[in-house]
Amino acid sequence: MQWALPRPDDRVEYDLWSVPSDVMSHEFLKSFKPYAVALGEHAYFTPNQYIYDGVRSHCQGSDGMNMCYNLCTNNGRYCATDPDNDLDKGISGADVVKESLRRICIWKHYGESDGIGRE
């Protein structure tokens, strides 16, 4: 364990790593919003999404094609686990990757500047 102050600016910085299919993080974010707003400029929040590197996971074949069925996007480059563990129906890992990217874009547009995301 290590403690460090990379940017001592009188502001607490905290992160949450999750995936769109994680019900617990949804509940946490809803219940924590009033506290994040109350902390204001004294804290900075960064949400992160778990997306697996398909190349390192061998989901992208030597020919550049997707080897992991519907778990990945971009020919096997970006992957996520199948939330309902059924590769043939329901939400796929590729759906999770797309929703994760959508959430990252929304945060960059509405929350990154203040670390709260009030809008």
Side-chain angles (χ1 to χ4, degrees):
M1 182 177 285
Q2 179 181 356
W3 295 94
L5 294 173
R7 285 187 273 159
D9 57 3
D10 294 332
R11 188 171 66 168
V12 173
E13 297 180 15
Y14 60 105
D15 293 44
L16 174 69
W17 286 85
S18 65
V19 292
S21 56
D22 178 19
V23 177
M24 295 302 292
S25 65
H26 292 290
E27 293 303 317
F28 170 77
L29 289 171
K30 277 193 233 175
S31 64
F32 194 75
K33 182 180 179 179
Y35 303 107
V37 171
L39 288 169
E41 64 185 38
H42 300 291
Y44 187 87
F45 172 65
T46 304
N48 299 281
Q49 301 292 313
Y50 284 112
I51 299 174
Y52 299 100
D53 181 342
V55 176
R56 289 187 67 190
S57 300
H58 304 291
C59 286
Q60 188 177 58
S62 58
D63 60 355
M65 297 304 294
N66 183 2
M67 306 294 289
C68 291
Y69 193 46
N70 65 359
L71 298 178
C72 306
T73 64
N74 297 73
N75 294 322
R77 289 186 65 196
Y78 309 106
C79 307
T81 56
D82 188 305
D84 53 15
N85 293 318
D86 188 337
L87 295 176
D88 295 319
K89 61 182 178 179
I91 299 170
S92 69
D95 293 331
V96 173
V97 171
K98 291 173 195 169
E99 176 62 16
S100 295
L101 180 59
R102 186 185 75 82
R103 290 176 181 214
I104 291 168
C105 290
I106 289 170
W107 181 256
K108 287 197 174 293
H109 185 75
Y110 291 106
E112 190 172 54
S113 63
D114 66 2
I116 299 171
R118 292 179 205 203
E119 295 182 42

